[in-house]
Amino acid sequence: RAGVTKPLVYQHFGTKAAVLAELYRGFKVRTHEALDTALAETPSNLNQVSRVIADAYIDCIDAESTEIPGVGGALSGSAESERIREEADRAFSARCRTALERFTSEGTVPDAALYAILGAAEGIARALVLGRIPFEDGRETLAKVVAGVV
């Protein structure tokens, strides 16, 4: 309806993978922005900060759950998708580390804990998108994982 044709899209992006990569990148940017906004107003309590992290991540999955699985699936296995995923994981982990490090006795969140949070978030997101668990269960469980690894 907007008059955008497939050749025009490919002229701008170059390849189908580049189009999909940009869609995935946009999703991750919106997730990070939601997390930044939520963390700006979070009290200094580990459980509340953990819940904010979980809510921001799961809310973005909820808002875009019909599109993102297809985009992620279409991108899987490409070098571009791995680079974008790593970039997004680093950005999300950095935000989590900054928000959570004040609650650790060491003053920092170990990399392994951040990978545990990422793994839990991705696994829960997949289950949500497939309709295997309710969104509120996903939020609650991810918040518990975040608090638990800290």
Side-chain angles (χ1 to χ4, degrees):
R1 287 187 287 202
V4 176
T5 62
K6 199 183 277 189
L8 181 61
V9 171
Y10 286 125
Q11 181 181 357
H12 180 75
F13 289 100
T15 65
K16 180 180 179 181
V19 172
L20 295 170
E22 192 56 37
L23 289 170
Y24 184 80
R25 185 179 289 114
F27 167 72
K28 290 300 185 176
V29 165
R30 287 186 293 281
T31 301
H32 299 155
E33 288 172 350
L35 182 56
D36 290 343
T37 300
L39 287 172
E41 302 172 9
T42 303
S44 296
N45 172 299
L46 174 60
N47 289 329
Q48 291 173 334
V49 171
S50 297
R51 183 60 194 239
V52 164
I53 290 170
D55 286 351
Y57 192 93
I58 300 301
D59 286 350
C60 286
I61 296 298
D62 191 14
E64 303 190 34
S65 63
T66 57
E67 294 88 11
I68 290 306
V71 171
L75 272 175
S76 66
S78 75
E80 178 71 1
S81 80
E82 193 54 39
R83 186 183 65 73
I84 291 168
R85 184 179 301 261
E86 276 295 315
E87 180 182 290
D89 287 352
R90 278 193 306 275
F92 180 75
S93 293
R95 285 167 169 82
C96 289
R97 177 174 272 142
T98 299
L100 296 167
E101 63 191 358
R102 62 188 157 174
F103 303 110
T104 66
S105 57
E106 302 84 21
T108 189
V109 179
D111 289 342
L114 295 171
Y115 281 111
I117 292 168
L118 283 169
E122 289 176 8
I124 290 169
R126 185 171 188 277
L128 291 169
V129 168
L130 294 173
R132 295 193 176 140
I133 61 173
F135 276 85
E136 189 52 36
D137 289 355
R139 287 181 184 89
E140 287 291 330
T141 302
L142 184 55
K144 288 177 184 177
V145 168
V146 172
V149 299
V150 172

